[in-house]
Amino acid sequence: MYGPGGFYRRPEGPAGHFRTSVHASPLFARAVAELLCRVDEALGRPDPLDFVDMAAGRGELAGGVLAALPAGVAARTRAYAVEIADRPAGLDHRIEWRAELPETVTGLLFANEWLDNVPVDVVETDAAGVARRVLVRADGTERLGEPVAGAEAEWLARWWPPAAEEGLRAEIGLPRDTAWASAVSCVERGLAVAVDYAHTVDTRPPFGTLTGFREGRETAPVPDGSCDITAHVALDACALPGGRVLTQRAALRALGVAGARPPLSLASTDPAAYVRALASAGEAAELTAAGGLGDFGWLVQPVGIPDPLAQASPEDH
């Protein structure tokens, strides 16, 4: 996926194969810009103020955030897009394109659908009730390997206890925990946020979540670089002390994104404004929808500042 000609180095980028919240509506970038402004206030308006778009795709989020910021904040913002693909043509010159995280961050590190692409091992319970690693050939065919042991077995026992029933699966999220801890370690002061498909320890899917995506459709996860290979994230396991997980619905509503329809009276007094407000409400509804994007998890990790989303409850009641 990451090698020459691999999925993530293709010119069309991830947006050519699947739709994230960033691509669904500019409201998402505006909400992240609002979050960055709250972080800025909590930090005492530093100069520079860092914004890191982790796994940036083609820089759509970084560009949208810069465009949505108030001029005074934008003037102090140092924007980074972290991505292994080449810098896309026409990207805002203010965005620094790089393959690795900056050494230090004072501001907001935002990782939208990054952790689901950090590779994990899959295990399956065999006929004797033993959890064994699933090995995969280049053509996608599978066989069971050795039993899981050591730190991986300890992670499973704590976060995804293997079922005794033959054929049930789990995904060892330890590499994601490590990747997230490494990213957060770059934040000297500010906030780190990971947004992803997620599940918690009491709602783990019995057959796992490993799948592939190609050209907008779900497909078999064949490891030949032809498709995206992804698995949902155990965000509760990734959380460091002081971090918490809430739904995207709760987070975006706390940032001012709501799906309420505009008053019908506006259609009479200002029809154009009514149409714009109606379209915006539809986009907000998609971003916060139950059973869809609204169910994504936001792992919020403050570093040296109060939680800027403190008023958002973990569950949207």
Side-chain angles (χ1 to χ4, degrees), residues 24-312:
S25 170
L27 291 176
F28 189 79
R30 292 174 200 163
V32 176
E34 166 63 23
L35 182 59
L36 179 58
C37 287
R38 295 186 187 185
V39 172
D40 183 43
E41 288 292 327
L43 290 171
R45 302 186 186 91
D47 189 4
L49 169 69
D50 295 326
F51 174 68
V52 180
D53 180 6
M54 183 66 188
R58 294 302 177 265
E60 300 97 333
L61 179 60
V65 167
L66 283 177
L69 288 173
V73 179
R76 289 186 287 106
T77 297
R78 181 169 55 186
Y80 301 96
V82 181
E83 180 57 68
I84 63 162
D86 294 335
R87 182 187 182 98
L91 185 69
D92 191 317
H93 71 276
R94 295 173 293 175
I95 299 171
E96 180 179 331
W97 193 266
R98 52 189 297 145
E100 297 180 351
L101 282 164
E103 290 185 6
T104 61
V105 175
T106 299
L108 174 61
L109 184 154
F110 200 89
N112 186 58
E113 296 196 44
W114 167 51
L115 288 175
D116 65 307
N117 290 119
V118 174
V120 294
D121 282 318
V122 178
V123 300
E124 182 176 311
T125 302
D126 67 10
V130 177
R132 295 180 178 271
R133 196 181 315 275
V134 176
L135 305 180
V136 188
R137 297 184 177 89
D139 63 0
T141 56
E142 300 176 348
R143 67 180 178 86
L144 296 186
E146 293 299 312
V148 180
E152 293 178 327
E154 293 174 5
W155 188 95
L156 283 173
R158 169 67 180 87
W159 292 108
W160 198 332
E165 183 180 342
E166 182 182 5
L168 297 188
R169 289 189 167 193
E171 294 150 2
I172 304 172
L174 186 59
R176 280 128 177 224
D177 299 359
T178 302
W180 180 243
S182 177
V184 174
S185 72
C186 297
V187 182
E188 288 192 338
R189 291 182 67 226
L191 183 71
V193 178
V195 180
D196 243 307
Y197 295 100
H199 44 64
T200 57
V201 69
D202 52 352
T203 60
R204 305 287 190 224
F207 296 99
T209 62
L210 183 69
T211 190
F213 282 95
R214 184 191 297 116
E215 298 176 356
R217 296 185 179 182
E218 196 167 0
T219 186
V222 179
D224 60 0
S226 67
C227 65
D228 178 37
I229 299 177
T230 181
H232 295 193
V233 183
L235 283 180
D236 51 346
C238 294
L240 299 168
R244 67 187 184 112
V245 179
L246 59 155
T247 64
Q248 173 158 297
R249 180 168 48 256
L252 290 183
R253 286 179 176 171
L255 292 168
V257 177
R261 291 171 61 93
L264 192 57
S265 59
L266 185 62
S268 301
T269 58
D270 191 340
Y274 177 77
V275 171
R276 290 194 299 270
L278 193 62
S280 180
E283 293 173 4
E286 180 182 4
L287 289 173
T288 58
L293 295 174
D295 289 345
F296 269 53
W298 280 43
L299 170 52
V300 179
Q301 195 81 51
V303 180
I305 65 169
D307 183 350
L309 292 171
Q311 73 273 37

